[in-house]
Amino acid sequence: MVKKKKIGILVKRINPEDKYSFDPMLLISGKKSIEAHANWVILVSDRYVDALNLKFVKILTSLYCLHFLEYNEALQIINSGSLPG
């Protein structure tokens, strides 16, 4: 049997004027499908509302969730190979 490798999801706030960087319902509404294909979600944002949205994802899914303020910090953990997958 061939083991399918899952992906990771990286969300980065691009426009500081947006109300939020992502709608958590995107990940929660498709929970079964997302969990079947992804192991983790990393959010890069300095906004409280984004971190709060990530908490909802963490509570309501089995995805491993991390939050970083700087994009380079996120890349370091991604490139380290220490994320589930």
Side-chain angles (χ1 to χ4, degrees), residues 22 24 27-28 31 35 41 51-66:
F22 75 104
L27 300 176
I28 295 168
K31 177 183 172 186
E35 289 176 335
V41 176
L52 184 61
N53 286 342
L54 187 64
K55 282 186 181 185
F56 291 130
V57 172
K58 189 174 193 172
I59 291 168
L60 298 172
T61 71
S62 65
L63 298 171
Y64 184 72
C65 298
L66 292 172

Side-chain angles (χ1 to χ4, degrees), residues 64-78:
Y64 184 72
C65 298
L66 292 172
H67 173 230
F68 294 96
L69 299 177
E70 298 291 327
Y71 186 69
N72 288 334
E73 292 175 319
L75 286 180
Q76 284 180 336
I77 193 81
I78 291 168

